[in-house]
């Protein structure tokens, strides 16, 4: 975290937490949700200011319950997650890059949901692939060591060839695992809609 944030936390340790005002969407955009957006269950306005985005990204972390938040000075601003705590994009030079700007270390697991959403896991990071990059990444998938066709990928999602589909990346081959999209929060231990005690929801 930024030094100024750590200093503020030490000076004002008991500032009430903030819930519902910040959202991370499925494409890795931070969105500010005012009272109207919250009331209408809308994603809110996309934050575009580079300095503010950098500040949020540097001070983004989680608590022991799996609730992700942005430490804004002495206050925790808890984040509503549209899909996962991180979103990953492809980069020609760096490979996979998180929405926070950090390069994703070599993933240890790769998962596909029934609707074709790719998830990469390394350590405590669970990142969904930006859907705009899905076509390029899916073109690299292999089935039993040879390039997989669109039809074969669809069959895999339907339950055929399960266990034989793989993602080659950075000299390794990750066997793809299947998971239901509705079970992501429970499987990976994060809260998608943090609220005050007694009101936390496991999924949106």
């Amino acid at each position: 975290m930024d030094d100024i944030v750590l200093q503020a936390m030490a000076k004002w340790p008991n500032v009430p937490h903030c819930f519902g005002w910040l959202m991370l969407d499925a494409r890795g955009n931070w969105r500010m949700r005012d009272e109207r957006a919250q009331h209408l269950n809308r994603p809110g306005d996309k934050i575009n200011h580079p300095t503010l985005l950098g500040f949020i990204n540097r001070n983004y972390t989680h608590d022991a319950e799996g609730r992700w938040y942005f430490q804004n000075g002495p206050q925790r601003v808890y984040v509503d997650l549209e899909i996962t705590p991180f979103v990953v994009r492809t980069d020609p030079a760096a490979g996979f890059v998180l929405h926070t700007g950090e390069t994703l270390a070599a993933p240890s697991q790769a998962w596909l949901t029934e609707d074709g959403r790719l998830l990469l896991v390394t350590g405590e990071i669970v990142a969904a692939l930006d859907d705009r990059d899905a076509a390029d990444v899916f073109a690299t998938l292999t089935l039993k060591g040879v390039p997989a066709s669109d039809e074969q990928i669809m069959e895999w999602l339907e339950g055929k060839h399960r266990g034989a589909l793989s993602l080659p990346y950075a000299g390794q081959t990750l066997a793809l695992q299947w998971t239901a999209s509705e079970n992501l929060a429970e499987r990976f231990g994060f809260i998608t809609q943090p609220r005050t005690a007694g009101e936390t929801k496991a999924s949106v």
Side-chain angles (χ1 to χ4, degrees), residues 12 47 56 59 61 112 138 152 194 201:
W12 297 288
I47 299 175
I56 295 174
N59 298 285
T61 186
L112 272 178
F138 276 39
Q152 289 172 323
K201 298 181 181 180

Side-chain angles (χ1 to χ4, degrees), residues 90-123:
T90 59
D91 181 271
F96 288 120
V97 177
L98 299 172
H99 75 276
T100 55
E102 299 171 294
T103 300
L104 179 67
S108 58
Q109 301 174 38
W111 297 75
L112 272 178
T113 65
E114 74 284 354
D115 53 359
R117 175 72 72 169
L118 177 67
L119 308 174
L120 298 175
V121 180
T122 180

Side-chain angles (χ1 to χ4, degrees), residues 15-93:
V15 174
H17 303 328
C18 177
F19 296 88
W21 286 82
L22 187 63
M23 176 183 181
L24 179 68
D25 72 20
R27 288 184 168 176
N29 298 307
W30 292 111
R31 293 183 175 273
M32 185 62 66
R33 307 178 72 237
D34 59 16
E35 291 182 357
R36 177 176 173 80
Q38 294 180 52
H39 178 72
L40 298 175
N41 198 28
R42 293 179 177 174
D45 296 327
K46 181 178 175 182
I47 299 175
N48 294 306
H49 194 285
T51 301
L52 178 56
L53 289 172
F55 185 56
I56 295 174
N57 290 334
R58 290 193 306 273
N59 298 285
Y60 180 51
T61 186
H62 65 89
D63 64 17
E65 297 178 38
R67 302 182 300 178
W68 288 79
Y69 63 91
F70 150 54
Q71 188 72 45
N72 182 28
Q75 183 181 56
R76 290 184 180 183
V77 179
Y78 280 94
V79 178
D80 285 1
L81 306 172
E82 185 174 1
I83 182 166
T84 51
F86 291 88
V87 176
V88 68
R89 307 180 180 107
T90 59
D91 181 271

Side-chain angles (χ1 to χ4, degrees), residues 170-182:
Q172 63 177 325
T173 300
L174 291 172
L176 285 165
Q177 305 176 70
W178 184 92
T179 185
S181 56
E182 64 183 6

